[in-house]
Amino acid sequence: SSGINAEYGVAEEGFLELVNNMLTTGQVPALFPDDEKEAIINGVRDEVQKAGINPNKENCWNYFIKKASSNLHIVLSMSPVGDTLRTRCRNFPGLVNETVI
C-alpha cells in the first residue's frame, strides 16, 4: 500500500519522525499495544514455522516487520523551493538515505 502526502499535509514535524522511523528501521516504536503485538505474533507463528524458522516471539516479530516492510511503499511530495526540504532532509536522514528523490 502507499500513502500520498503533499507538503501542505505535513501539519506536524512529528509525522515525518514516524515516516523516518518506518524508512530506516521498518517500524514505529510503540505503534502496537502489547495485546495487539501478541496477536500479530500469534498470527504469523505458523507461517514462520513453515519457513523453517524457530517460531519464538522475537523471530515471529522480526518476520512480521520484514514482511510488512517489503510490502510498504511511502510516497511523499515536497517542494524543493526554499529551505524546508533541505532542513527536513537534514533532520530526518531516512528521507534521503532510504528513498528515491
Side-chain angles (χ1 to χ4, degrees), residues 16-68:
L16 291 176
E17 180 69 33
L18 296 175
V19 170
N20 187 66
N21 285 337
M22 283 189 276
L23 291 170
T24 56
T25 66
Q27 59 185 321
V28 177
L31 178 63
F32 298 105
D34 289 341
D35 60 329
E36 287 182 24
K37 187 174 178 180
E38 196 64 39
I40 291 168
I41 289 169
N42 290 330
V44 298
R45 194 174 302 278
D46 289 341
E47 196 173 333
V48 170
Q49 192 164 15
K50 286 178 186 174
I53 303 168
N54 179 6
N56 63 32
K57 278 186 175 186
E58 184 178 349
N59 288 344
C60 288
W61 183 248
N62 290 336
Y63 181 87
F64 167 75
I65 293 298
K66 184 177 178 183
K67 187 173 180 178

Side-chain angles (χ1 to χ4, degrees), residues 5 50 78:
N5 186 35
K50 286 178 186 174
M78 291 186 248

